[in-house]
């Protein structure tokens, strides 16, 4: 007896990778307690000169292919400080049945998590979904930067992917601070026409007491920017009560957006005790 092949929507993912990162306080420093990864996910945990611990994610093959499903769980214990980034851009290749990435993080009281990966680049025909879920204890702090680019624009692949969806959920205690979903799909209108001259977009989120002063300064800085015709970058800044700040930006070049977001996050080396951009893996 032969079985009929499953449809693409019901196929088992070709590569299902899982990783778990756990950080804890050990004296004046934070250490990596757990760094467990299953292929195609990899974890790198380089030493640094600061009090925070660092970790970088990467995947075998240089990006996501059809059917990939990656999951990362992060735990930051009370009082710990962690920087989590990626070793390079999150490249998503042609994927008719889709691929996805899920991140779930718990941040303890008086702890800090900086989640600052490199941009996501979806190539022609890519179908990609991601979920970023953060559970913060009262007194915890979070820095998040999430960037998406138009793809391989230099090769003529500009906003040429088939589907992009991003869900962001942030809870502080029992309260939902952010619960939103971005959707970019050409079935709702041609993406290059809808996105105009912009080549990249960013979401920046600052939450928690450790960031109260920098939130106020950044909000004032962004709202004071003049509005000009054909600006290289257009930002907006929205306070989330007294607990957070949500910043959006669209830029005419990926380089401009990366440079600007790093400038907005220039307070991070002082919080971490070392500069992760100067000591890039």
């Amino acid at each position: 007896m032969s079985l009929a092949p499953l449809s693409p929507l019901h196929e088992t993912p070709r590569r299902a990778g899982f990783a778990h990162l756990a950080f804890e306080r050990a004296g004046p420093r934070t250490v990596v307690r757990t760094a467990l990864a299953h292929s195609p996910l990899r974890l790198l945990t380089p030493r640094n000169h600061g009090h925070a611990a660092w970790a970088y994610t990467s995947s075998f093959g240089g990006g996501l292919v059809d059917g990939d499903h990656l999951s990362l769980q992060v735990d930051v214990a009370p009082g710990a400080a962690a920087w989590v980034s990626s070793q390079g851009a999150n490249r998503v290749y042609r994927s008719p049945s889709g691929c996805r990435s899920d991140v779930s993080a718990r941040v303890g009281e008086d702890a800090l998590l900086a989640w600052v990966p490199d941009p996501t680049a979806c190539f022609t025909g890519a179908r990609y979904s991601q979920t970023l879920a953060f559970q913060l204890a009262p007194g915890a702090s979070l820095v998040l930067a999430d960037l998406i680019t138009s793809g391989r624009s230099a090769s003529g692949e500009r906003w040429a992917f088939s589907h992009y969806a991003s869900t962001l959920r942030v809870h502080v205690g029992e309260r939902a601070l952010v619960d939103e979903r971005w959707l970019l799909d050409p079935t709702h209108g041609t993406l290059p026409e809808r996105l105009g001259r912009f080549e990249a977009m960013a979401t920046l989120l600052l939450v928690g007491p450790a960031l109260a002063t920098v939130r106020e300064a950044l909000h004032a800085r962004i709202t004071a920017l003049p509005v000009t015709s054909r600006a290289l970058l257009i930002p907006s800044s929205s306070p989330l009560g007294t607990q957070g700040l949500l910043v959006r930006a669209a830029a005419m070049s990926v380089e401009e957006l990366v440079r600007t977001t790093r400038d907005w996050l220039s307070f991070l080396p002082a919080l971490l005790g070392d500069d992760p951009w100067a000591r890039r893996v």
Side-chain angles (χ1 to χ4, degrees):
M1 183 178 72
S2 62
L3 297 178
L6 295 174
S7 68
L9 293 178
H10 296 87
E11 288 179 352
T12 301
R14 276 173 43 189
R15 301 191 301 175
F18 171 79
H20 180 209
L21 275 169
F23 303 89
E24 65 180 16
R25 186 77 176 267
R29 295 177 59 88
T30 295
V31 297
V32 179
R33 186 186 72 209
T34 303
L36 172 67
H38 297 283
S39 180
L41 271 172
R42 295 192 302 168
L43 296 174
L44 303 173
T45 56
R47 294 183 179 182
N48 69 90
H49 299 303
H51 60 271
W54 296 358
Y56 291 83
T57 66
S58 66
S59 63
F60 291 102
L64 301 181
V65 297
D66 198 25
D68 280 1
H69 184 181
L70 307 183
S71 299
L72 173 63
Q73 180 182 329
V74 181
D75 291 292
V76 186
W83 157 276
V84 182
S85 186
S86 57
Q87 200 180 19
N90 178 30
R91 297 179 179 88
V92 185
Y93 296 95
R94 181 183 299 275
S95 38
S97 60
C99 50
R100 65 177 297 110
S101 174
D102 296 316
V103 176
S104 175
R106 294 176 294 189
V107 187
E109 187 173 354
D110 298 323
L112 167 70
L113 172 61
W115 171 259
V116 189
D118 287 310
T120 293
C122 294
F123 300 157
T124 296
R127 297 184 62 85
Y128 176 68
S129 298
Q130 69 173 15
T131 298
L132 306 174
F134 299 88
Q135 178 66 57
L136 310 183
S141 298
L142 171 69
V143 177
L144 175 145
D146 185 32
L147 282 66
I148 178 173
T149 76
S150 62
R152 291 182 287 205
S153 183
S155 301
E157 298 182 14
R158 184 174 181 274
W159 303 115
F161 50 81
S162 299
H163 179 87
Y164 170 86
S166 177
T167 299
L168 174 61
R169 298 189 182 101
V170 180
H171 283 74
V172 179
E174 299 298 320
R175 178 174 175 243
L177 187 66
V178 179
D179 192 343
E180 67 172 24
R181 186 170 188 260
W182 276 34
L183 178 61
L184 293 174
D185 194 308
T187 60
H188 301 155
T190 305
L191 291 179
E193 293 181 3
R194 291 167 58 195
L195 295 168
R197 69 184 190 275
F198 299 113
E199 295 290 337
M201 297 184 293
T203 295
L204 181 66
L205 180 65
L206 308 179
V207 179
L211 306 167
T213 301
V214 296
R215 284 200 307 269
E216 183 178 348
L218 181 58
H219 179 61
R221 179 180 173 186
I222 291 175
T223 54
L225 292 173
V227 178
T228 59
S229 176
R230 306 295 294 180
L232 294 178
L233 182 140
I234 297 180
S236 67
S237 178
S238 305
L240 303 174
T242 60
Q243 291 185 298
L245 180 70
L246 182 62
V247 176
R248 310 282 197 197
M252 289 182 63
S253 76
V254 177
E255 295 76 15
E256 176 69 17
L257 190 61
V258 170
R259 183 195 65 78
T260 300
T261 54
R262 288 188 181 180
D263 181 45
W264 288 341
L265 297 175
S266 60
F267 60 85
L268 267 177
L271 278 181
L272 302 173
D274 199 353
D275 188 344
W277 292 297
R279 295 172 51 81
R280 187 62 187 263
V281 176

